[in-house]
Amino acid sequence: DAGVIQSPRHEVTEMGQEVTLRCKPISGHDYLFWYRQTMMRGLELLIYFNNNVPIDDSGMPEDRFSAKMPNASFSTLKIQPSEPRDSAVYFCASSLLQGAGEQFFGPGTRLTVL
Amino acid sequence: TQLLEQSPQFLSIQEGENLTVYCNSSSVFSSLQWYRQEPGEGPVLLVTVVTGGEVKKLKRLTFQFGDARKDSSLHITAAQPGDTGLYLCAGDSNSGYALNFGKGTSLLVTP
């Protein structure tokens, strides 16, 4: 398996623009996680899905953020409108199990909002 | 959310030195994971500890889970430049929530 795939790897946009990040989890993994990583706040869980259903979105910063998982092999994280404080590295991860199950991370998308 | 405090935040040492990094919480975890993240990549799992007092070894890395399952340590013997990276601990509270990650210890090993 190719592992978790994320696109794009880098995104530079201007404030107010819509940004869409994409993730393909490892085939057969039932759980998908979206994280945001910054120096100040570390790795923060934004939302996670089980069998394509959002389970916990309490980490989503505000209404400008939304995530979808239309099928088992694809998820998106959308920011609309984007703001400079959204600049961070966004990771997608998938796992077979919740909790003690190993999470497999993608390479991340580095987002810069000017 | 159960907080995981990692210390030190940054550590710079020379090749061949030993080091220990810590992961502490006031909460009890059913298991705890350690990940290493290299620049430009996502974290990769190193080990999972489950039993209080458990010790696991991975070559020069020794992981210990506290007896009360509230804390953990990672000891590296004779550090090498390839050990450079961000070491993250993550706890599972077994309450139906996802893993809680600490902010990590950034380790730099210079030749």
Side-chain angles (χ1 to χ4, degrees):
Chain A
D1 202 314
V4 176
I5 299 173
Q6 290 187 248
S7 64
R9 291 295 310 273
H10 302 273
E11 176 81 37
V12 180
T13 190
E14 292 189 344
M15 183 174 66
Q17 296 298 306
E18 177 179 298
V19 175
T20 299
L21 311 181
R22 297 173 176 79
C23 174
K24 178 179 171 25
I26 293 173
S27 176
H29 282 192
D30 292 333
Y31 290 87
L32 183 140
F33 306 84
W34 280 102
Y35 292 91
R36 177 173 67 177
Q37 188 176 41
T38 61
M39 285 289 292
M40 288 294 295
R41 301 174 70 88
L43 195 64
E44 302 175 276
L45 177 67
L46 300 176
I47 184 171
Y48 78 95
F49 296 82
N50 178 23
N51 291 322
N52 313 338
V53 176
I55 302 301
D56 183 2
D57 65 354
S58 59
M60 296 285 262
E62 48 199 271
D63 292 345
R64 297 184 298 106
F65 285 68
S66 63
K68 294 182 179 179
M69 192 166 186
N71 57 62
S73 60
F74 184 66
S75 177
T76 60
L77 178 67
K78 186 176 293 186
I79 309 173
Q80 166 63 19
S82 58
E83 297 182 3
R85 60 189 167 129
D86 302 330
S87 296
V89 181
Y90 290 81
F91 288 101
C92 175
S94 69
S95 71
L96 278 171
L97 303 171
Q98 192 178 1
E102 176 179 2
Q103 292 192 15
F104 294 82
F105 285 78
T109 295
R110 180 173 293 278
L111 174 65
T112 303
V113 183
L114 303 174
Chain B
T1 301
Q2 292 86 358
L3 282 177
L4 280 164
E5 301 284 344
Q6 291 193 245
S7 61
Q9 189 175 358
F10 299 100
L11 189 56
S12 180
I13 61 171
Q14 289 194 318
E15 183 175 4
E17 293 185 27
N18 301 331
L19 67 117
T20 302
V21 298
Y22 302 92
C23 173
N24 296 298
S25 176
S26 58
S27 302
V28 176
F29 292 99
S30 60
S31 67
L32 196 139
Q33 300 178 5
W34 284 92
Y35 289 78
R36 180 170 65 206
Q37 182 179 14
E38 298 186 11
E41 299 181 10
V44 176
L45 181 68
L46 295 173
V47 76
T48 300
V49 286
V50 179
T51 306
E54 181 178 5
V55 176
K56 280 192 173 179
K57 293 193 174 183
L58 188 66
K59 297 183 180 178
R60 294 176 293 98
L61 279 61
T62 301
F63 304 84
Q64 183 162 9
F65 202 12
D67 291 341
R69 290 185 286 128
K70 292 182 178 182
D71 54 83
S72 181
S73 64
L74 159 59
H75 182 79
I76 301 179
T77 303
Q80 298 179 1
D83 296 326
T84 292
L86 179 68
Y87 289 81
L88 296 159
C89 65
D92 170 29
S93 63
N94 201 31
S95 63
Y97 295 101
L99 288 175
N100 295 303
F101 279 85
K103 290 187 177 181
T105 292
S106 181
L107 172 65
L108 174 64
V109 183
T110 54

